[in-house]
Amino acid sequence: MRQGLAFAVAATLCACAPTPVQMPAARAAEVLNLFAVGAGPADICSSDGRALLRGAVRAYSREMAQAGVAWPVFPRASADTENATSVDISVMIAFAAGFVKTSDFRPPARGMLGHLTIVQWPEIQAMRDAAEVACADVQALRQATSGFVIEQSRMAQMVHATRLRNQDDEDAERLRRQSVRLERAETRMQDTAAAVSARMRGAGV
């Protein structure tokens, strides 16, 4: 099982891709929330969809920066910090897979992203390679990867919380159940990545 949470700068999109779409912050929030649940117009398997997603990230990041809020929120082990949402995690995965660029974020997120690394994960590589030929599979893999990161973050927070007090039988049972959920999420992610790889081989890519 992978330990910790890691993200890093991934390969950029080709220079011929459409420029990010400009939009108001309210529209950006709508696009990002739909993207996090695997719906909506921001289709990472098309150049126009990626342009829309990048535009949404830019607009929302700008709005948060103007409000003095650092965004996205990175998953943390500490139980007393704000948890990353599914939108935060989905956007970071899209960044790691190369669908969103460093320049789409405002400081201090740019610097933080540069120190994290999920790009080495084979699941992320499969996502990037299959974007143009296996769209449905890529979307499923993105959702599975997001689910794994969320469960991993929850596990880290629970472990941190139990270390602050004497662990009892109830804590041990909660950790056991969370460990099972985490293992299931990782298996789902790996199985989905394997399906993407099989589809790629079938397509001769």
Side-chain angles (χ1 to χ4, degrees):
M1 183 182 300
R2 296 181 180 82
Q3 299 297 317
L5 297 169
F7 299 89
V9 178
T12 59
L13 302 178
C14 66
C16 60
T19 57
V21 177
Q22 295 186 7
M23 67 184 75
R27 171 59 174 161
E30 179 185 1
V31 169
L32 293 175
N33 276 289
L34 288 170
F35 177 70
V37 298
D43 180 6
I44 57 175
C45 301
S46 72
S47 58
D48 288 342
R50 289 193 291 265
L52 183 64
L53 176 61
R54 290 186 60 202
V57 169
R58 287 189 173 200
Y60 196 75
S61 182
R62 180 174 59 250
E63 180 75 7
M64 292 296 100
Q66 291 173 351
V69 177
W71 182 83
V73 175
F74 291 82
R76 300 177 186 274
S78 177
D80 60 359
T81 58
E82 183 180 3
N83 296 334
T85 67
S86 58
V87 170
D88 298 318
I89 291 172
S90 292
V91 167
M92 285 186 282
I93 289 172
F95 166 77
F99 304 126
V100 177
K101 296 185 180 182
T102 305
S103 61
D104 297 327
F105 298 90
R106 294 297 180 94
R110 290 180 184 177
M112 295 177 70
L113 287 165
H115 289 289
L116 301 171
T117 176
I118 193 177
V119 69
Q120 293 91 348
W121 289 14
E123 295 83 8
I124 294 295
Q125 186 65 50
M127 202 182 303
R128 188 183 309 120
D129 291 344
E132 303 300 336
V133 297
C135 180
D137 299 276
V138 167
Q139 296 286 24
L141 178 54
R142 183 180 63 79
Q143 289 294 107
T145 303
S146 178
F148 170 69
V149 175
I150 289 171
E151 296 299 344
Q152 191 180 49
S153 180
R154 288 173 179 165
M155 185 68 173
Q157 292 169 27
M158 291 173 66
V159 169
H160 176 81
T162 57
R163 286 175 178 170
L164 297 179
R165 60 178 185 269
N166 292 327
Q167 180 176 317
D168 55 23
D169 291 342
E170 187 175 343
D171 288 328
E173 177 59 20
R174 281 197 295 265
L175 287 172
R176 187 196 66 79
R177 290 197 301 266
Q178 181 58 28
S179 179
V180 170
R181 286 191 289 268
L182 178 56
E183 290 178 4
R184 287 175 178 170
E186 184 172 27
T187 298
R188 178 189 172 206
M189 179 181 67
Q190 293 173 342
D191 288 349
T192 308
V196 170
S197 297
R199 180 66 62 89
M200 293 288 287
R201 290 193 298 272
V205 177

